[in-house]
Amino acid sequence: MEKTFVETDLNVQKEIQELRSLIRDIPDFPKPGIIFKDITPLLHKAWAIQKIVDFIGNRYIGAGIDIVAGIESRGFILASALAYKIGAGLAIIRKPGKLPYKTVSATYTLEYGEDKIEVHEDAIQKGMKVVLIDDVLATGGTMGAAIDLVEKLGGKIVSIDFLLELTFLGGREKIEKGKYPIFSLIKF
Ligand code: AMP
């Protein structure tokens, strides 16, 4: 996807800096050594939610996106608002055992061990245009597995979007594979 006004407009960049300043660092949460990026101060502000959804969603005007796929759980907050904004359906990618119908699943490696995510097998039809979204791109493991799920169902990934990216963790390089555009609104 070509660069849009979101990436090039200086006024938009200023507003993105304001959004960035609202993200709260919580040291040693949920484990010692992790600095958790708390996005709730952003969610508490009406103007911030509107800006986030507009900046991400305006990039899809006329793109004919069929489905926004959000990853549990903070990804759902963004995915549902984005789906409404761009007139797409919503697919929910969840942790194991939460979805009631037949699922497909994908595993990914964590620092210690493995984890799994699932989606209903009828959530995405072959050839549908899909936008994947989550709140944070950290190591990229979760999104890598979400990409596998969409590919298994035959969805066409148009973009992989994040509210914020922790660039020093190299998640982008891990999921990039040169295949799909990756967009993050706020970078640390
Ligand atoms: P990863 O698979 O490492 O890219 O981690 C992504 C998932 O973990 C996202 O769904 C985030 O919600 C969460 N996450 C990872 N690191 C952080 C962090 N430092 N602050 C907030 N959320 C995080």
Side-chain angles (χ1 to χ4, degrees), residues 6-17:
V6 176
E7 286 120 312
T8 55
D9 186 306
L10 290 181
N11 288 326
V12 173
Q13 286 303 314
K14 220 177 117 205
E15 290 182 303
I16 290 173
Q17 286 312 309

Side-chain angles (χ1 to χ4, degrees), residues 20-26 36-41 44:
R20 190 179 187 273
S21 70
L22 285 174
I23 292 169
R24 178 162 57 194
D25 280 359
I26 311 282
F36 189 85
K37 295 289 182 192
D38 178 15
I39 62 164
T40 60
H44 296 155

Side-chain angles (χ1 to χ4, degrees), residues 2 29 36 43 49 54 61 65 76 85 101 103 105 108 131 133 145-146 170 185 188:
E2 277 178 31
F29 182 88
F36 189 85
L43 301 176
I49 297 182
D54 286 348
I61 290 170
I65 305 299
F76 292 169
K85 161 98 189 160
Y101 185 60
T103 58
S105 61
Y108 57 101
V131 169
I133 189 161
L185 193 65
F188 284 92

